[in-house]
Amino acid sequence: MAPETDELSADLVETINRRHLIRTPLEPADLLFVFGTRHGVAEFVAAIAELWRGGYFRWALVTGGPTLGDPEDEASVLSRRMVRAGVPREVILLERQATNTGENVTFSLPILEQRIGLANVGSLIAVGKLHTSARYLMTLQRHWPAVRKMLVAVNYHDHPAEAWHEHPQLRADVLREWRKIEPYKAAGFIVDLP
């Protein structure tokens, strides 16, 4: 694959758009599964609040632990801002230890089982960064295949998602994540979507 500084072929851009920067139709779900972040927090919260106002979820699970240089966990930062944006505190569940996408899911499943019961979750909407789109759903598919999955990919760059390859930082982020897919599949961290 081309380094971030090389020209990308139109075929590769199209392949990444189709296979990695996936979009799913949205409809109301039992659960909003928020993958933690330190980047684009305002944009994440705006998207989550809009989904809440639209009646798209009953429960929200926010996952993410502390990151280097900041002892406060991502889940607490996001959930506090979600409450300020109008999402009721009582519908938010927190997972505060995860340090990677696999842990986001595996550490959250016992919390969901204890609080609402996994059998009561037939569908979810995952919320995560645009450049990691496919990997969120592929990780969920690996650890929780039974649930129906949708995705809201948050683009916190001031640049159109479809023109990701024209923005230096977004291009670097997308290509870095794209390159992880095959090694992560080989390692068993993720699986293909049905």
Coordinates of all heavy atoms in Angstrom, one line a residue, residues 93-170:
L93 N -24.2 3.7 31.0 CA -23.4 2.7 31.7 C -22.0 3.0 31.3 O -21.7 3.3 30.2 CB -23.8 1.3 31.3 CG -25.3 0.9 31.4 CD1 -25.5 -0.5 30.8 CD2 -25.8 1.0 32.8
L94 N -21.1 2.8 32.3 CA -19.6 3.1 32.0 C -18.7 1.9 32.2 O -18.9 1.1 33.1 CB -19.2 4.2 33.0 CG -19.9 5.5 33.0 CD1 -19.3 6.4 34.0 CD2 -19.8 6.1 31.6
E95 N -17.8 1.8 31.3 CA -16.7 0.8 31.4 C -15.4 1.7 31.4 O -15.2 2.4 30.4 CB -16.7 -0.1 30.2 CG -15.6 -1.2 30.2 CD -14.2 -0.6 30.0 OE1 -14.0 0.1 29.0 OE2 -13.3 -0.8 30.9
R96 N -14.6 1.7 32.4 CA -13.6 2.7 32.6 C -12.1 2.1 32.6 O -11.2 2.8 32.9 CB -13.7 3.4 34.0 CG -15.0 4.2 34.1 CD -15.1 4.8 35.5 NE -16.1 5.8 35.6 CZ -17.1 5.7 36.4 NH1 -17.2 4.7 37.2 NH2 -18.0 6.7 36.5
Q97 N -11.9 0.9 32.1 CA -10.6 0.3 32.1 C -10.0 0.1 30.7 O -8.8 -0.1 30.6 CB -10.6 -1.0 32.9 CG -11.2 -0.9 34.3 CD -10.3 0.1 35.1 OE1 -9.1 0.0 35.1 NE2 -11.0 1.0 35.9
A98 N -10.8 -0.1 29.7 CA -10.3 -0.5 28.4 C -9.2 0.4 27.8 O -9.3 1.6 27.9 CB -11.5 -0.6 27.4
T99 N -8.2 -0.2 27.2 CA -7.1 0.5 26.6 C -7.0 0.2 25.1 O -6.2 0.8 24.4 CB -5.8 0.2 27.2 OG1 -5.5 -1.2 27.1 CG2 -5.8 0.5 28.7
N100 N -7.9 -0.6 24.6 CA -7.9 -0.9 23.1 C -9.3 -1.3 22.7 O -10.2 -1.5 23.6 CB -6.9 -1.9 22.7 CG -7.1 -3.2 23.4 OD1 -8.1 -3.9 23.2 ND2 -6.1 -3.7 24.1
T101 N -9.6 -1.4 21.4 CA -10.9 -1.7 20.9 C -11.4 -3.1 21.4 O -12.6 -3.2 21.7 CB -10.9 -1.6 19.4 OG1 -10.3 -0.4 19.0 CG2 -12.3 -1.7 18.8
G102 N -10.6 -4.1 21.4 CA -11.0 -5.4 21.9 C -11.4 -5.3 23.3 O -12.5 -5.9 23.7
E103 N -10.7 -4.7 24.2 CA -11.0 -4.5 25.6 C -12.3 -3.7 25.7 O -13.1 -3.9 26.6 CB -9.9 -3.8 26.4 CG -8.7 -4.7 26.6 CD -7.6 -4.1 27.4 OE1 -7.7 -2.8 27.6 OE2 -6.6 -4.8 27.7
N104 N -12.5 -2.7 24.8 CA -13.8 -1.9 24.9 C -15.0 -2.9 24.9 O -15.9 -2.7 25.6 CB -13.9 -1.0 23.7 CG -13.0 0.2 23.7 OD1 -12.4 0.6 22.7 ND2 -12.8 0.9 24.8
V105 N -14.9 -3.9 24.0 CA -16.0 -4.8 23.9 C -16.0 -5.8 25.0 O -17.0 -6.0 25.7 CB -16.0 -5.5 22.5 CG1 -17.2 -6.5 22.4 CG2 -16.1 -4.5 21.4
T106 N -14.9 -6.5 25.2 CA -14.8 -7.6 26.2 C -15.0 -7.1 27.6 O -15.7 -7.8 28.4 CB -13.5 -8.4 26.1 OG1 -12.4 -7.6 26.3 CG2 -13.4 -9.1 24.7
F107 N -14.6 -5.9 28.0 CA -14.8 -5.4 29.3 C -16.2 -4.9 29.5 O -16.7 -4.8 30.6 CB -13.8 -4.3 29.6 CG -12.4 -4.7 29.8 CD1 -11.9 -6.0 29.6 CD2 -11.4 -3.8 30.1 CE1 -10.6 -6.4 29.7 CE2 -10.1 -4.1 30.2 CZ -9.7 -5.4 30.1
S108 N -16.9 -4.6 28.4 CA -18.2 -4.0 28.5 C -19.3 -5.1 28.6 O -20.3 -4.8 29.2 CB -18.5 -3.1 27.3 OG -17.7 -2.0 27.3
L109 N -19.1 -6.2 28.0 CA -20.1 -7.3 28.0 C -20.5 -7.7 29.4 O -21.8 -7.8 29.6 CB -19.6 -8.5 27.1 CG -19.5 -8.2 25.6 CD1 -18.9 -9.5 24.9 CD2 -20.8 -7.8 25.0
P110 N -19.7 -7.9 30.3 CA -20.1 -8.3 31.7 C -21.0 -7.1 32.3 O -21.9 -7.4 33.1 CB -18.8 -8.5 32.5 CG -17.8 -8.8 31.5 CD -18.2 -8.0 30.2
I111 N -20.6 -5.9 32.1 CA -21.3 -4.8 32.6 C -22.8 -4.8 32.0 O -23.8 -4.6 32.7 CB -20.6 -3.4 32.3 CG1 -19.3 -3.4 33.1 CG2 -21.5 -2.2 32.7 CD1 -18.3 -2.3 32.6
L112 N -22.8 -5.0 30.7 CA -24.1 -5.0 30.1 C -25.0 -6.2 30.6 O -26.2 -6.1 30.8 CB -24.0 -5.1 28.6 CG -23.5 -3.9 27.9 CD1 -23.0 -4.2 26.5 CD2 -24.5 -2.8 27.9
E113 N -24.3 -7.4 30.7 CA -25.1 -8.5 31.2 C -25.6 -8.3 32.6 O -26.8 -8.5 32.9 CB -24.1 -9.7 31.3 CG -24.8 -11.0 31.9 CD -26.0 -11.5 31.1 OE1 -26.0 -11.4 29.9 OE2 -26.9 -12.0 31.8
Q114 N -24.8 -7.7 33.5 CA -25.2 -7.4 34.9 C -26.3 -6.3 34.9 O -27.3 -6.5 35.7 CB -24.0 -6.9 35.7 CG -24.4 -6.7 37.1 CD -23.2 -6.2 37.9 OE1 -22.3 -5.6 37.4 NE2 -23.2 -6.4 39.2
R115 N -26.2 -5.3 34.2 CA -27.1 -4.2 34.3 C -28.4 -4.3 33.5 O -29.5 -4.0 34.0 CB -26.5 -2.9 33.9 CG -25.3 -2.4 34.8 CD -25.8 -1.9 36.1 NE -26.8 -0.8 36.0 CZ -26.5 0.5 35.9 NH1 -25.2 0.8 35.9 NH2 -27.4 1.4 35.8
I116 N -28.3 -4.8 32.3 CA -29.6 -4.9 31.5 C -29.8 -6.3 30.9 O -30.9 -6.6 30.4 CB -29.6 -3.8 30.4 CG1 -28.4 -4.0 29.4 CG2 -29.7 -2.5 30.9 CD1 -28.5 -2.9 28.3
G117 N -28.8 -7.2 30.9 CA -28.9 -8.5 30.3 C -28.6 -8.5 28.8 O -29.3 -7.8 28.1
L118 N -27.6 -9.2 28.4 CA -27.3 -9.3 27.0 C -28.4 -9.8 26.1 O -28.6 -9.4 25.0 CB -26.0 -10.2 26.8 CG -24.7 -9.6 27.3 CD1 -23.6 -10.7 27.2 CD2 -24.3 -8.3 26.7
A119 N -29.3 -10.6 26.7 CA -30.4 -11.2 25.9 C -31.4 -10.1 25.6 O -32.3 -10.2 24.7 CB -31.1 -12.3 26.7
N120 N -31.3 -9.0 26.3 CA -32.3 -7.8 26.1 C -31.7 -6.8 25.1 O -32.3 -5.8 24.9 CB -32.5 -7.1 27.5 CG -33.3 -8.0 28.4 OD1 -34.2 -8.7 28.0 ND2 -32.9 -8.0 29.7
V121 N -30.6 -7.1 24.5 CA -30.0 -6.3 23.5 C -30.0 -7.0 22.2 O -29.2 -7.9 21.9 CB -28.5 -5.8 23.9 CG1 -28.0 -4.9 22.8 CG2 -28.5 -5.2 25.3
G122 N -30.9 -6.6 21.3 CA -31.0 -7.2 20.0 C -30.3 -6.4 18.9 O -29.9 -7.0 17.9
S123 N -30.1 -5.1 19.2 CA -29.5 -4.3 18.2 C -28.7 -3.2 19.0 O -29.0 -2.8 20.1 CB -30.6 -3.6 17.3 OG -31.5 -2.9 18.1
L124 N -27.7 -2.7 18.3 CA -26.9 -1.6 18.8 C -26.4 -0.7 17.7 O -26.3 -1.1 16.5 CB -25.7 -2.1 19.6 CG -24.6 -2.9 18.9 CD1 -23.6 -2.0 18.1 CD2 -23.8 -3.6 20.0
I125 N -26.2 0.5 18.1 CA -25.5 1.5 17.2 C -24.1 1.8 17.9 O -24.1 2.2 19.0 CB -26.3 2.8 17.1 CG1 -27.7 2.6 16.5 CG2 -25.5 3.9 16.3 CD1 -28.6 3.8 16.6
A126 N -23.1 1.5 17.1 CA -21.7 1.8 17.6 C -21.4 3.2 17.2 O -21.7 3.6 16.1 CB -20.7 0.8 17.0
V127 N -20.7 4.0 18.0 CA -20.3 5.3 17.8 C -18.8 5.3 17.9 O -18.2 4.9 19.0 CB -20.9 6.4 18.7 CG1 -20.3 7.7 18.4 CG2 -22.4 6.4 18.5
G128 N -18.1 5.7 16.9 CA -16.6 5.8 16.9 C -16.1 6.7 15.8 O -16.8 7.3 15.1
K129 N -14.8 6.7 15.8 CA -14.1 7.6 14.8 C -14.3 7.1 13.4 O -14.2 5.9 13.1 CB -12.6 7.7 15.1 CG -12.3 8.2 16.5 CD -10.8 8.0 16.8 CE -10.5 8.3 18.3 NZ -9.1 8.0 18.6
L130 N -14.4 8.1 12.5 CA -14.6 7.8 11.1 C -13.5 6.8 10.6 O -13.7 5.8 9.9 CB -14.6 9.1 10.2 CG -14.5 8.9 8.7 CD1 -15.8 8.4 8.2 CD2 -14.2 10.2 8.1
H131 N -12.2 7.2 10.9 CA -11.1 6.4 10.3 C -11.0 5.0 10.8 O -10.2 4.2 10.2 CB -9.8 7.2 10.4 CG -9.4 7.6 11.8 ND1 -9.8 8.8 12.4 CD2 -8.7 6.9 12.7 CE1 -9.3 8.8 13.6 NE2 -8.7 7.7 13.8
T132 N -11.7 4.6 11.8 CA -11.6 3.3 12.4 C -12.9 2.5 12.1 O -13.1 1.4 12.6 CB -11.4 3.4 13.9 OG1 -10.3 4.2 14.1 CG2 -11.0 2.0 14.5
S133 N -13.8 3.0 11.2 CA -15.1 2.5 11.0 C -15.3 1.0 11.0 O -16.0 0.5 11.9 CB -15.7 3.1 9.7 OG -15.9 4.5 9.8
A134 N -14.7 0.3 10.1 CA -15.0 -1.1 9.9 C -14.5 -1.9 11.1 O -15.1 -2.8 11.5 CB -14.3 -1.6 8.7
R135 N -13.4 -1.4 11.7 CA -12.8 -2.2 12.8 C -13.7 -2.3 14.0 O -13.7 -3.3 14.8 CB -11.4 -1.7 13.2 CG -10.7 -2.6 14.1 CD -9.2 -2.3 14.1 NE -8.8 -1.0 14.4 CZ -8.6 -0.5 15.6 NH1 -8.7 -1.3 16.6 NH2 -8.1 0.7 15.8
Y136 N -14.5 -1.2 14.3 CA -15.4 -1.3 15.4 C -16.4 -2.4 15.2 O -16.6 -3.2 16.1 CB -16.2 0.1 15.5 CG -15.3 1.2 15.9 CD1 -15.3 2.4 15.1 CD2 -14.5 1.2 17.0 CE1 -14.5 3.5 15.5 CE2 -13.7 2.3 17.4 CZ -13.8 3.4 16.6 OH -13.0 4.5 16.9
L137 N -17.1 -2.4 14.0 CA -18.1 -3.5 13.8 C -17.4 -4.8 13.7 O -18.0 -5.8 14.2 CB -18.8 -3.2 12.5 CG -19.7 -1.9 12.6 CD1 -20.5 -1.7 11.3 CD2 -20.6 -1.8 13.8
M138 N -16.2 -4.9 13.2 CA -15.5 -6.2 13.1 C -15.1 -6.7 14.5 O -15.2 -8.0 14.7 CB -14.3 -6.1 12.2 CG -14.7 -5.8 10.7 SD -13.3 -5.4 9.7 CE -12.7 -7.1 9.3
T139 N -14.8 -5.8 15.4 CA -14.5 -6.2 16.8 C -15.8 -6.7 17.5 O -15.8 -7.7 18.2 CB -13.8 -5.1 17.5 OG1 -12.7 -4.6 16.8 CG2 -13.4 -5.5 18.9
L140 N -16.8 -5.9 17.3 CA -18.1 -6.3 17.9 C -18.5 -7.7 17.4 O -19.0 -8.5 18.1 CB -19.2 -5.3 17.6 CG -19.1 -4.0 18.5 CD1 -19.9 -2.9 17.9 CD2 -19.6 -4.3 19.9
Q141 N -18.4 -7.9 16.1 CA -18.7 -9.2 15.4 C -17.9 -10.3 16.0 O -18.4 -11.4 16.3 CB -18.6 -9.1 13.9 CG -19.0 -10.4 13.2 CD -20.5 -10.6 13.3 OE1 -21.3 -9.7 13.5 NE2 -20.9 -11.8 13.1
R142 N -16.7 -10.1 16.3 CA -15.8 -11.1 16.9 C -16.3 -11.6 18.3 O -16.3 -12.7 18.6 CB -14.4 -10.6 16.9 CG -13.4 -11.3 17.9 CD -13.0 -12.7 17.4 NE -12.0 -13.3 18.2 CZ -12.3 -13.9 19.4 NH1 -13.5 -14.0 19.9 NH2 -11.3 -14.4 20.1
H143 N -16.7 -10.6 19.1 CA -17.0 -10.9 20.5 C -18.5 -11.0 20.8 O -18.9 -11.5 21.9 CB -16.3 -9.8 21.4 CG -14.9 -9.8 21.3 ND1 -14.1 -10.8 21.9 CD2 -14.0 -8.9 20.7 CE1 -12.8 -10.5 21.6 NE2 -12.7 -9.4 20.9
W144 N -19.3 -10.4 19.9 CA -20.8 -10.4 20.2 C -21.5 -10.5 18.9 O -22.2 -9.6 18.4 CB -21.1 -9.1 20.8 CG -22.4 -9.0 21.5 CD1 -23.3 -10.0 21.8 CD2 -23.0 -7.8 22.1 NE1 -24.4 -9.5 22.4 CE2 -24.2 -8.2 22.7 CE3 -22.6 -6.5 22.3 CZ2 -25.1 -7.3 23.4 CZ3 -23.4 -5.6 22.9 CH2 -24.6 -6.0 23.5
P145 N -21.4 -11.7 18.2 CA -21.9 -11.9 16.9 C -23.5 -11.8 16.8 O -24.0 -11.5 15.8 CB -21.4 -13.3 16.5 CG -21.1 -14.0 17.7 CD -20.7 -12.9 18.7
A146 N -24.2 -12.1 17.9 CA -25.6 -12.3 17.8 C -26.3 -10.9 17.7 O -27.4 -10.9 17.1 CB -26.1 -13.0 19.1
V147 N -25.8 -9.9 18.1 CA -26.5 -8.6 18.1 C -26.4 -7.9 16.7 O -25.4 -8.1 16.0 CB -25.9 -7.6 19.2 CG1 -24.5 -7.1 18.8 CG2 -26.8 -6.5 19.5
R148 N -27.5 -7.3 16.3 CA -27.5 -6.6 15.0 C -26.8 -5.2 15.2 O -27.0 -4.5 16.2 CB -28.9 -6.3 14.6 CG -29.0 -5.8 13.1 CD -30.4 -5.9 12.6 NE -31.3 -5.0 13.2 CZ -31.3 -3.7 12.9 NH1 -30.5 -3.2 12.0 NH2 -32.2 -2.9 13.5
K149 N -25.9 -4.9 14.3 CA -25.0 -3.8 14.5 C -25.1 -2.7 13.4 O -25.2 -3.0 12.2 CB -23.5 -4.3 14.4 CG -23.2 -5.3 15.5 CD -22.0 -6.1 15.0 CE -21.8 -7.4 15.8 NZ -22.9 -8.4 15.6
M150 N -25.2 -1.5 13.9 CA -25.2 -0.3 13.0 C -24.0 0.6 13.5 O -23.4 0.4 14.5 CB -26.5 0.5 13.2 CG -27.7 -0.4 12.7 SD -29.3 0.3 13.2 CE -29.5 -0.4 14.8
L151 N -23.7 1.6 12.7 CA -22.6 2.5 13.0 C -22.8 3.9 12.7 O -23.4 4.3 11.7 CB -21.4 2.0 12.1 CG -20.1 2.8 12.2 CD1 -19.4 2.7 13.5 CD2 -19.2 2.5 11.0
V152 N -22.4 4.8 13.6 CA -22.3 6.2 13.4 C -20.8 6.5 13.5 O -20.2 6.4 14.5 CB -23.1 7.0 14.4 CG1 -22.7 8.5 14.3 CG2 -24.6 6.8 14.2
A153 N -20.2 6.9 12.4 CA -18.8 7.2 12.3 C -18.6 8.7 12.4 O -19.1 9.5 11.6 CB -18.2 6.7 11.0
V154 N -18.0 9.2 13.5 CA -17.8 10.6 13.7 C -16.5 11.1 13.0 O -15.4 10.6 13.2 CB -17.7 10.9 15.2 CG1 -17.5 12.3 15.5 CG2 -19.0 10.4 15.9
N155 N -16.8 12.1 12.2 CA -15.7 12.8 11.5 C -15.4 14.1 12.2 O -16.2 15.1 12.0 CB -16.0 13.0 10.0 CG -14.9 13.8 9.3 OD1 -13.8 13.9 9.8 ND2 -15.2 14.2 8.1
Y156 N -14.4 14.2 13.0 CA -14.1 15.4 13.8 C -13.1 16.3 13.0 O -12.7 17.4 13.6 CB -13.6 15.1 15.2 CG -12.4 14.2 15.3 CD1 -11.1 14.6 15.1 CD2 -12.7 12.8 15.5 CE1 -10.1 13.8 15.2 CE2 -11.6 11.9 15.6 CZ -10.3 12.4 15.5 OH -9.3 11.6 15.6
H157 N -12.7 16.0 11.8 CA -11.9 16.8 11.0 C -12.8 17.8 10.2 O -13.8 17.4 9.8 CB -11.0 16.0 10.0 CG -10.1 15.1 10.7 ND1 -8.9 15.6 11.3 CD2 -10.1 13.8 11.0 CE1 -8.2 14.6 11.8 NE2 -8.9 13.5 11.6
D158 N -12.4 19.0 10.0 CA -13.1 20.0 9.3 C -12.9 19.7 7.8 O -12.3 20.5 7.1 CB -12.7 21.4 9.7 CG -13.6 22.4 9.1 OD1 -14.8 22.1 8.7 OD2 -13.2 23.6 9.0
H159 N -13.4 18.5 7.3 CA -13.1 18.1 6.0 C -14.1 17.0 5.6 O -14.4 16.2 6.5 CB -11.7 17.6 5.8 CG -11.2 17.4 4.4 ND1 -10.8 18.4 3.7 CD2 -11.2 16.3 3.7 CE1 -10.5 18.0 2.5 NE2 -10.7 16.7 2.4
P160 N -14.7 17.0 4.4 CA -15.7 16.0 4.1 C -15.1 14.6 4.1 O -14.0 14.4 3.6 CB -16.1 16.4 2.6 CG -15.6 17.8 2.4 CD -14.5 18.0 3.3
A161 N -15.9 13.7 4.7 CA -15.5 12.3 4.8 C -15.1 11.7 3.5 O -14.1 11.0 3.4 CB -16.5 11.5 5.6
E162 N -15.9 12.0 2.5 CA -15.7 11.3 1.2 C -14.4 11.8 0.5 O -13.9 11.2 -0.4 CB -16.9 11.5 0.2 CG -17.2 13.0 -0.1 CD -18.0 13.7 1.0 OE1 -18.4 13.1 2.0 OE2 -18.4 14.8 0.7
A163 N -13.8 12.9 1.0 CA -12.6 13.4 0.5 C -11.4 13.2 1.5 O -10.5 14.0 1.5 CB -12.7 14.9 0.1
W164 N -11.5 12.2 2.3 CA -10.5 11.9 3.3 C -9.1 11.9 2.8 O -8.2 12.3 3.4 CB -10.8 10.6 4.0 CG -10.8 9.4 3.1 CD1 -11.8 8.9 2.4 CD2 -9.7 8.6 2.7 NE1 -11.4 7.8 1.6 CE2 -10.1 7.6 1.8 CE3 -8.3 8.6 3.1 CZ2 -9.2 6.7 1.2 CZ3 -7.4 7.7 2.5 CH2 -7.9 6.7 1.6
H165 N -8.9 11.4 1.6 CA -7.6 11.2 1.0 C -7.0 12.6 0.6 O -5.8 12.6 0.3 CB -7.7 10.3 -0.3 CG -8.7 10.8 -1.3 ND1 -10.1 10.6 -1.1 CD2 -8.6 11.4 -2.5 CE1 -10.7 11.1 -2.1 NE2 -9.8 11.6 -3.0
E166 N -7.7 13.7 0.7 CA -7.2 15.0 0.4 C -6.8 15.8 1.6 O -6.2 16.9 1.5 CB -8.3 15.8 -0.4 CG -8.6 15.2 -1.7 CD -9.8 15.8 -2.4 OE1 -10.4 16.8 -1.8 OE2 -10.3 15.4 -3.4
H167 N -7.0 15.3 2.8 CA -6.7 15.9 4.1 C -5.5 15.2 4.7 O -5.7 14.0 5.0 CB -7.9 15.9 5.0 CG -7.7 16.6 6.3 ND1 -7.1 16.1 7.3 CD2 -8.2 17.9 6.6 CE1 -7.1 16.9 8.3 NE2 -7.7 18.0 7.9
P168 N -4.4 15.8 4.9 CA -3.2 15.1 5.4 C -3.4 14.3 6.6 O -3.0 13.1 6.7 CB -2.2 16.2 5.6 CG -2.6 17.3 4.7 CD -4.1 17.3 4.7
Q169 N -4.0 14.8 7.7 CA -4.2 14.1 8.9 C -5.2 13.0 8.8 O -5.0 11.8 9.2 CB -4.5 15.0 10.1 CG -4.6 14.3 11.4 CD -3.3 13.6 11.8 OE1 -2.2 14.3 11.8 NE2 -3.2 12.3 12.0
L170 N -6.3 13.3 8.2 CA -7.4 12.3 8.0 C -6.9 11.1 7.1 O -7.1 10.0 7.3 CB -8.6 12.9 7.4 CG -9.9 12.0 7.3 CD1 -10.2 11.4 8.6 CD2 -11.1 12.9 6.8

